PDB file of all heavy atoms in Angstrom:
ATOM      1  N   THR A  77      -6.952  13.923 -23.306  1.00  0.00           N
ATOM      2  CA  THR A  77      -6.891  15.098 -22.447  1.00  0.00           C
ATOM      3  C   THR A  77      -5.692  15.967 -22.784  1.00  0.00           C
ATOM      4  O   THR A  77      -4.667  15.492 -23.275  1.00  0.00           O
ATOM      5  CB  THR A  77      -6.785  14.687 -20.965  1.00  0.00           C
ATOM      6  OG1 THR A  77      -5.609  13.892 -20.783  1.00  0.00           O
ATOM      7  CG2 THR A  77      -8.000  13.899 -20.528  1.00  0.00           C
ATOM      8  N   ASN A  78      -5.858  17.251 -22.544  1.00  0.00           N
ATOM      9  CA  ASN A  78      -4.764  18.208 -22.606  1.00  0.00           C
ATOM     10  C   ASN A  78      -4.626  18.837 -21.218  1.00  0.00           C
ATOM     11  O   ASN A  78      -5.610  19.256 -20.623  1.00  0.00           O
ATOM     12  CB  ASN A  78      -5.041  19.310 -23.643  1.00  0.00           C
ATOM     13  CG  ASN A  78      -5.081  18.752 -25.060  1.00  0.00           C
ATOM     14  OD1 ASN A  78      -4.244  17.946 -25.423  1.00  0.00           O
ATOM     15  ND2 ASN A  78      -6.072  19.174 -25.838  1.00  0.00           N
ATOM     16  N   VAL A  79      -3.419  18.886 -20.719  1.00  0.00           N
ATOM     17  CA  VAL A  79      -3.179  19.411 -19.388  1.00  0.00           C
ATOM     18  C   VAL A  79      -2.874  20.895 -19.468  1.00  0.00           C
ATOM     19  O   VAL A  79      -2.068  21.338 -20.283  1.00  0.00           O
ATOM     20  CB  VAL A  79      -2.021  18.668 -18.699  1.00  0.00           C
ATOM     21  CG1 VAL A  79      -1.723  19.274 -17.332  1.00  0.00           C
ATOM     22  CG2 VAL A  79      -2.368  17.195 -18.550  1.00  0.00           C
ATOM     23  N   THR A  80      -3.550  21.676 -18.658  1.00  0.00           N
ATOM     24  CA  THR A  80      -3.326  23.122 -18.614  1.00  0.00           C
ATOM     25  C   THR A  80      -2.976  23.538 -17.190  1.00  0.00           C
ATOM     26  O   THR A  80      -3.397  22.904 -16.225  1.00  0.00           O
ATOM     27  CB  THR A  80      -4.580  23.896 -19.070  1.00  0.00           C
ATOM     28  OG1 THR A  80      -5.665  23.611 -18.168  1.00  0.00           O
ATOM     29  CG2 THR A  80      -4.977  23.501 -20.480  1.00  0.00           C
ATOM     30  N   SER A  81      -2.216  24.575 -17.050  1.00  0.00           N
ATOM     31  CA  SER A  81      -1.829  25.076 -15.731  1.00  0.00           C
ATOM     32  C   SER A  81      -2.887  26.035 -15.215  1.00  0.00           C
ATOM     33  O   SER A  81      -3.520  26.765 -15.975  1.00  0.00           O
ATOM     34  CB  SER A  81      -0.481  25.793 -15.817  1.00  0.00           C
ATOM     35  OG  SER A  81      -0.122  26.345 -14.574  1.00  0.00           O
ATOM     36  N   ASN A  82      -3.084  26.031 -13.905  1.00  0.00           N
ATOM     37  CA  ASN A  82      -4.002  26.979 -13.275  1.00  0.00           C
ATOM     38  C   ASN A  82      -3.562  27.208 -11.830  1.00  0.00           C
ATOM     39  O   ASN A  82      -2.567  26.673 -11.365  1.00  0.00           O
ATOM     40  CB  ASN A  82      -5.453  26.493 -13.363  1.00  0.00           C
ATOM     41  CG  ASN A  82      -5.675  25.201 -12.603  1.00  0.00           C
ATOM     42  OD1 ASN A  82      -4.864  24.775 -11.798  1.00  0.00           O
ATOM     43  ND2 ASN A  82      -6.808  24.568 -12.863  1.00  0.00           N
ATOM     44  N   THR A  83      -4.323  27.985 -11.119  1.00  0.00           N
ATOM     45  CA  THR A  83      -3.957  28.329  -9.745  1.00  0.00           C
ATOM     46  C   THR A  83      -4.636  27.430  -8.716  1.00  0.00           C
ATOM     47  O   THR A  83      -4.462  27.642  -7.518  1.00  0.00           O
ATOM     48  CB  THR A  83      -4.335  29.795  -9.456  1.00  0.00           C
ATOM     49  OG1 THR A  83      -5.746  29.963  -9.663  1.00  0.00           O
ATOM     50  CG2 THR A  83      -3.564  30.741 -10.365  1.00  0.00           C
ATOM     51  N   GLN A  84      -5.406  26.450  -9.164  1.00  0.00           N
ATOM     52  CA  GLN A  84      -6.066  25.546  -8.236  1.00  0.00           C
ATOM     53  C   GLN A  84      -5.034  24.653  -7.546  1.00  0.00           C
ATOM     54  O   GLN A  84      -4.068  24.197  -8.167  1.00  0.00           O
ATOM     55  CB  GLN A  84      -7.075  24.661  -8.961  1.00  0.00           C
ATOM     56  CG  GLN A  84      -8.351  25.382  -9.391  1.00  0.00           C
ATOM     57  CD  GLN A  84      -9.326  24.414 -10.030  1.00  0.00           C
ATOM     58  OE1 GLN A  84      -8.997  23.732 -10.992  1.00  0.00           O
ATOM     59  NE2 GLN A  84     -10.520  24.350  -9.490  1.00  0.00           N
ATOM     60  N   VAL A  85      -5.264  24.395  -6.275  1.00  0.00           N
ATOM     61  CA  VAL A  85      -4.384  23.470  -5.559  1.00  0.00           C
ATOM     62  C   VAL A  85      -4.549  22.066  -6.108  1.00  0.00           C
ATOM     63  O   VAL A  85      -3.579  21.376  -6.408  1.00  0.00           O
ATOM     64  CB  VAL A  85      -4.678  23.514  -4.051  1.00  0.00           C
ATOM     65  CG1 VAL A  85      -3.838  22.476  -3.306  1.00  0.00           C
ATOM     66  CG2 VAL A  85      -4.403  24.906  -3.504  1.00  0.00           C
ATOM     67  N   LEU A  86      -5.797  21.622  -6.265  1.00  0.00           N
ATOM     68  CA  LEU A  86      -6.097  20.306  -6.812  1.00  0.00           C
ATOM     69  C   LEU A  86      -7.014  20.460  -8.015  1.00  0.00           C
ATOM     70  O   LEU A  86      -8.017  21.158  -7.954  1.00  0.00           O
ATOM     71  CB  LEU A  86      -6.758  19.417  -5.756  1.00  0.00           C
ATOM     72  CG  LEU A  86      -5.917  19.122  -4.511  1.00  0.00           C
ATOM     73  CD1 LEU A  86      -6.715  18.301  -3.508  1.00  0.00           C
ATOM     74  CD2 LEU A  86      -4.630  18.407  -4.869  1.00  0.00           C
ATOM     75  N   GLY A  87      -6.639  19.784  -9.106  1.00  0.00           N
ATOM     76  CA  GLY A  87      -7.412  19.885 -10.335  1.00  0.00           C
ATOM     77  C   GLY A  87      -8.299  18.669 -10.554  1.00  0.00           C
ATOM     78  O   GLY A  87      -8.900  18.125  -9.623  1.00  0.00           O
ATOM     79  N   THR A  88      -8.348  18.198 -11.797  1.00  0.00           N
ATOM     80  CA  THR A  88      -9.235  17.109 -12.188  1.00  0.00           C
ATOM     81  C   THR A  88      -8.826  15.792 -11.524  1.00  0.00           C
ATOM     82  O   THR A  88      -7.642  15.466 -11.444  1.00  0.00           O
ATOM     83  CB  THR A  88      -9.219  16.941 -13.712  1.00  0.00           C
ATOM     84  OG1 THR A  88      -9.518  18.200 -14.331  1.00  0.00           O
ATOM     85  CG2 THR A  88     -10.237  15.912 -14.167  1.00  0.00           C
ATOM     86  N   ALA A  89      -9.824  15.027 -11.075  1.00  0.00           N
ATOM     87  CA  ALA A  89      -9.602  13.682 -10.531  1.00  0.00           C
ATOM     88  C   ALA A  89      -9.877  12.673 -11.642  1.00  0.00           C
ATOM     89  O   ALA A  89     -10.997  12.576 -12.139  1.00  0.00           O
ATOM     90  CB  ALA A  89     -10.510  13.435  -9.336  1.00  0.00           C
TER      91      ALA A  89
END
Side-chain angles (χ1 to χ4, degrees):
T77 59
N78 294 316
V79 177
T80 62
S81 177
N82 64 14
T83 59
Q84 286 183 304
V85 176
L86 298 177
T88 306

